[in-house]
């Protein structure tokens, strides 16, 4: 039987193409992408168009502040954890944690936060420990309606306290009014503290370290106007 060399080469090429395709499909099958352990420093979860939606990282690789497609250095993010991003890829919360023995004292910190659009956190679940000082609770904050100016905020950190710094904070949308706190404070008391729109505590329902319950009402200047014990 006479073999046509051109047909033989064509058949060989077809077989090799099918074999390559089969190996490629096998490489991306669910069985091939299943792992018992993944040892990495950072994982980025993205939408099909590349938009970042979640970053899971150690401290060395955790992102700065990403707003409007630009990343800024974070002034005090010393933890590992995960950072959440909205539909446009802007940061809008996160779960971070750190801790260990520091200067001979046990330290620990954990925080779950949710932000306003282009603003800082409005809801926070927090737990901290620094030696004997321990705090754990839920915080509700009011943030400005205007987006914060991150570059101005970074500048602000290098300024001395005073009117000029206060004015920059207001212009940059960096003000914060704590409206509610429910939790344990460093002094061992537990309380529900409700504040006015300026962040001034007006009503406190608490139980002291000694176990004595109390209710305090304060005026805008912080003076206690009524106490129930």
């Amino acid at each position: 039987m006479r073999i046509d060399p051109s047909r033989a080469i064509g058949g060989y090429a077809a077989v090799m193409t099918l074999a390559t395709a089969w190996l490629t499909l096998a490489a991306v099958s669910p069985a091939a992408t299943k792992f018992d352990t993944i040892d990495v420093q950072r994982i980025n979860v993205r939408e099909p168009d590349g938009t970042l939606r979640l970053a899971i990282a150690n401290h060395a690789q955790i992102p700065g502040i990403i707003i409007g497609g630009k990343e800024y250095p974070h002034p005090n993010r010393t933890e590992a954890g995960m950072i959440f991003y909205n539909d446009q890829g802007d940061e809008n919360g996160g779960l971070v944690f750190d801790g260990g023995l520091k200067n001979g004292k046990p330290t620990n910190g954990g925080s779950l936060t949710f932000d306003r659009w282009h603003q800082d956190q409005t809801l926070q679940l927090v737990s901290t420990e620094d030696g004997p000082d321990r705090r754990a609770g839920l915080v509700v904050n009011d943030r400005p309606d205007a987006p914060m100016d991150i570059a101005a905020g970074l500048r602000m950190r290098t300024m001395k306290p005073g009117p000029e710094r206060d004015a920059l904070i207001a212009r940059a949308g960096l003000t914060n009014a704590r409206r509610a706190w429910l939790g344990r404070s460093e002094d061992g008391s537990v309380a529900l503290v409700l504040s006015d729109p300026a962040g001034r505590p007006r009503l406190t329902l608490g139980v002291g370290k000694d176990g004595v319950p109390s209710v305090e009402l304060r005026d805008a200047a912080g003076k206690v106007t009524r106490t129930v014990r």
Side-chain angles (χ1 to χ4, degrees), residues 73-147:
H74 199 287
N76 56 5
R77 182 171 285 161
T78 60
E79 309 92 351
M82 58 179 68
I83 308 300
F84 313 140
Y85 299 90
N86 64 17
D87 295 348
Q88 285 75 49
D90 301 321
E91 181 175 333
N92 68 350
L95 172 63
V96 295
F97 45 88
D98 64 1
L101 279 176
K102 296 180 181 179
N103 299 320
K105 293 191 304 182
T107 66
N108 191 46
S111 174
L112 173 63
T113 59
F114 299 93
D115 303 342
R116 282 199 71 179
W117 181 82
H118 283 202
Q119 262 292 345
D120 210 338
Q121 61 207 31
T122 55
L123 181 63
Q124 180 182 25
L125 184 64
V126 61
S127 175
T128 63
E129 177 182 3
D130 185 12
D133 297 328
R134 292 179 288 117
R135 182 174 69 108
L138 180 69
V139 182
V140 177
N141 298 315
D142 274 354
R143 298 288 179 177
D145 293 331

